[in-house]
Amino acid sequence: MVARAARATDLADLDGAVSNCFACPRLVSWREEVARTKRAAFREQHYWGRPVPGFGPSDARIGILGLAPAAHGGNRTGRIFTGDRSGDVLFAALHRAGLANQPTSVAADDGLTLRDTRIFAAVRCAPPDNKPTPVERDTCAPWLHREVGLIRPTLRVVVALGAFAWAAWWPVLRDVYGVRPPSPRPVFGHGAHWSGTAAPELLGCYHVSQQNTFTGRLTPLMLDDVFARAKQLAGVD
Ligand code: SF4
């Protein structure tokens, strides 16, 4: 896994390689079963049913780090946060911030483009109950690390969506930037900010899950504040 990720010479190469990863038996089985059984509303659609690559330009200054693809979202459409309620909230906010050309994200060929922003997940396959195991998280980490390594020249800020993504960032510091992660680790929270030398700034943001957005724990205004801060830290107009 580490070797396959490390061999990727650019993002297109990496995206192709990760799409053919079968390293986690439980997740491979789950992603394929979901793709076979489908949800009634999508019965006529062909599910992607494979690992979901990152999305966004190779010279991104802002990274958005999520947990994993949704079973009937990215696992169906093949593009991260595309085709689910979380994506509806996220891309609407990115559009308001001027970081996406449109506020919706329904299919991989819907014309969506991002500006200065790349979105990726700590785990690339949809997990049951949105809960990867620690072994699955660690097995998938080389894909994230290589992706960050490839956009390292421009990457200035990473927005971690939720505590899982926040925790997944610290090994990136060590493996990609050669920076020792802070100890004790900074605690995740909405608006949390970690700043170190020789590595991107890290901003915490509640995950855009329905659990947070439907209950008002995460509001559009709170998302707007996070992306305004990310743009400012990244030097994006
Ligand atoms: S979760 Fe990551 S490492 Fe595991 S099978 Fe999917 S892409 Fe491969």
Side-chain angles (χ1 to χ4, degrees), residues 1 18 21-24 27-28 31 51 123-125 136 139-140 143:
M1 178 64 47
V18 71
C21 182
F22 293 84
C24 306
L27 298 188
V28 170
R31 77 193 191 200
V123 172
R124 306 303 169 104
C125 291
E136 290 161 350
T139 303
C140 205
W143 295 117

Side-chain angles (χ1 to χ4, degrees), residues 35-47 76:
R36 257 193 320 273
T37 54
K38 306 183 182 182
R39 176 177 283 170
F42 308 125
R43 183 144 296 139
E44 303 307 318
Q45 297 187 19
H46 175 74
Y47 274 53
R76 173 174 59 91

